Amino acid sequence: INQEVYASFISFLRERNELTREPFESVVVPDALLEDDVDHERVRWFVDTARRERKLAAKVGETDEKLLVHLKLMNRKTRALSRAAIMLFGKDPQSVCLSAKIKCVCCAGTQYRRPFVLQVYEGDLFDQVDQAEIFVLNHIDTTIGTRTDSVQAPTTYEIPPRAIREVIVNAVVHRDYASTASVEVRVFSDRVEVWNPGELPPGKTVAWLFDEHESMPFNPLIAAAFYHARYIEHVGSGIEDIEVACAEAGLPQTTVDVRNRTIVHTIWRKTTKETGKTSKKTTKENEATTKETVGA
């Protein structure tokens, strides 16, 4: 379902007093003020991006208030801000959801154990996605081409950046923000895992994810904002896009597991037939970095 249908459905349930729990993202933040709690610069960044990527109407982005009302993140009459508004554009996003962060870990081998590189990214949700993507790209194999067509040598990553970005965005958009767990990105020598606190839609299975399906965002307000900035498409094609990108790079099909109210999406890295491991250069560099960063 799209965001408009979802919003209408929620309004219908409220009118009938059949909504037992307010969706986490739409709950109003007491005492939050547009002038004090919203980062104007991040809103301006979003407006510029949405105009370029989705042809956002000029009048919508005239003021911060008009934009937030348009995205249904702010009540036009009461000027009340939702949790989603603060997580997307707030000066202190973690003040409304302490677990709204991404924990990134790089392990030297195939097991989750020390020593490892650890980074925790806070801030708004857009910035978290950008930083987590950079973290992964910095810890996987790359190939530098030649300057035949431009002054800058092209860089090819073993995992396509668009696949990495898509799987991280999926976790941020579809996670359960009522959970005290955070999104986790784990880089191993043979795979990249993204742990998403949440569950599949009722009645849906993992197989459903890999088939053509409708878009059912767990957090439609957050999803709508990510759509306007072209971080996602509203067509339920995220998994398909990841699979296509990985296939084009010669990678195995990704896997999805549901483990104790957590969805784990795994992208498998390139391996050699002889060792089943990635290049020795990358492994040694990771080991050296983990020792310098973490120690024991």
Side-chain angles (χ1 to χ4, degrees):
I1 59 177
N2 60 32
Q3 187 225 353
E4 289 76 15
V5 173
Y6 178 89
S8 298
F9 180 62
I10 293 299
S11 297
F12 172 76
L13 292 179
R14 284 177 183 147
E15 291 173 0
R16 294 171 59 92
N17 293 319
E18 294 181 4
L19 187 64
T20 58
R21 190 181 73 171
E22 187 92 2
F24 185 92
E25 63 171 0
S26 62
V27 172
V28 169
V29 181
D31 303 324
L33 300 175
L34 176 64
E35 297 77 12
D36 297 336
D37 299 292
V38 172
D39 188 333
H40 174 75
E41 294 303 319
R42 291 303 283 167
V43 174
R44 291 301 96 195
W45 164 84
F46 177 85
V47 169
D48 292 340
T49 302
R51 284 175 176 171
R52 180 179 67 252
E53 299 294 338
R54 299 292 189 187
K55 310 300 181 184
L56 182 72
K59 64 178 181 180
V60 171
E62 287 178 346
T63 65
D64 294 359
E65 180 173 352
K66 284 187 176 182
L67 176 75
L68 295 180
V69 169
H70 174 74
L71 295 177
K72 297 180 174 58
L73 301 174
M74 179 177 180
N75 186 290
R76 186 190 303 274
K77 295 181 179 180
T78 65
R79 302 185 86 240
L81 294 167
S82 67
R83 286 172 174 167
I86 301 300
M87 288 191 289
L88 289 164
F89 304 111
K91 294 178 180 178
D92 184 10
Q94 284 65 52
S95 65
V96 298
C97 182
L98 188 60
S99 67
K101 61 186 71 172
I102 300 180
K103 175 184 176 182
C104 293
V105 178
C106 180
C107 300
T110 62
Q111 301 298 317
Y112 186 75
R113 61 180 58 166
R114 292 178 179 271
F116 50 65
V117 177
L118 169 65
Q119 292 287 341
V120 179
Y121 297 107
E122 299 185 348
D124 66 74
L125 299 184
F126 294 108
D127 190 52
Q128 289 180 35
V129 169
D130 293 340
Q131 294 301 319
E133 178 188 0
I134 292 172
F135 179 92
V136 176
L137 294 178
N138 285 340
H139 290 90
I140 60 176
D141 287 345
T142 59
T143 302
I144 307 299
T146 59
R147 298 184 178 89
T148 56
D149 299 321
S150 66
V151 295
Q152 184 174 359
T155 300
T156 301
Y157 294 93
E158 60 167 303
I159 301 175
R162 73 178 190 273
I164 296 171
R165 188 177 190 83
E166 186 72 39
V167 72
I168 295 173
V169 169
N170 278 350
V172 169
V173 169
H174 295 290
R175 66 153 291 180
D176 179 5
Y177 282 96
S179 170
T180 56
S182 301
V183 169
E184 289 194 28
V185 178
R186 301 179 179 182
V187 181
F188 298 93
S189 62
D190 64 340
R191 67 195 187 279
V192 174
E193 297 178 346
V194 177
W195 291 58
N196 169 17
E199 298 178 294
L200 294 173
K204 303 300 182 181
T205 64
V206 169
W208 170 78
L209 292 173
F210 289 88
D211 292 332
E212 184 176 351
H213 62 273
E214 68 277 26
S215 176
M216 299 180 67
F218 194 81
N219 303 288
L221 298 179
I222 293 174
F226 272 80
Y227 168 79
H228 282 292
R230 200 179 282 279
Y231 277 59
I232 61 170
E233 299 292 343
H234 256 323
V235 293
S237 61
I239 299 294
E240 180 182 356
D241 293 341
I242 294 169
E243 292 304 303
V244 170
C246 289
E248 291 175 349
L251 300 176
Q253 182 178 8
T254 67
T255 56
V256 176
D257 300 302
V258 180
R259 310 176 191 175
N260 298 323
R261 296 180 58 84
T262 300
I263 300 173
V264 183
H265 198 155
T266 302
I267 297 179
W268 298 95
R269 301 176 62 179
K270 288 185 177 179
T271 58
T272 63
K273 294 181 180 179
E274 294 80 8
T275 64
K277 298 180 180 179
T278 51
S279 70
K280 294 181 180 179
K281 178 180 178 181
T282 298
T283 302
K284 288 182 178 179
E285 288 176 350
N286 286 348
E287 289 176 347
T289 305
T290 55
K291 291 177 181 178
E292 293 176 0
T293 304
V294 180

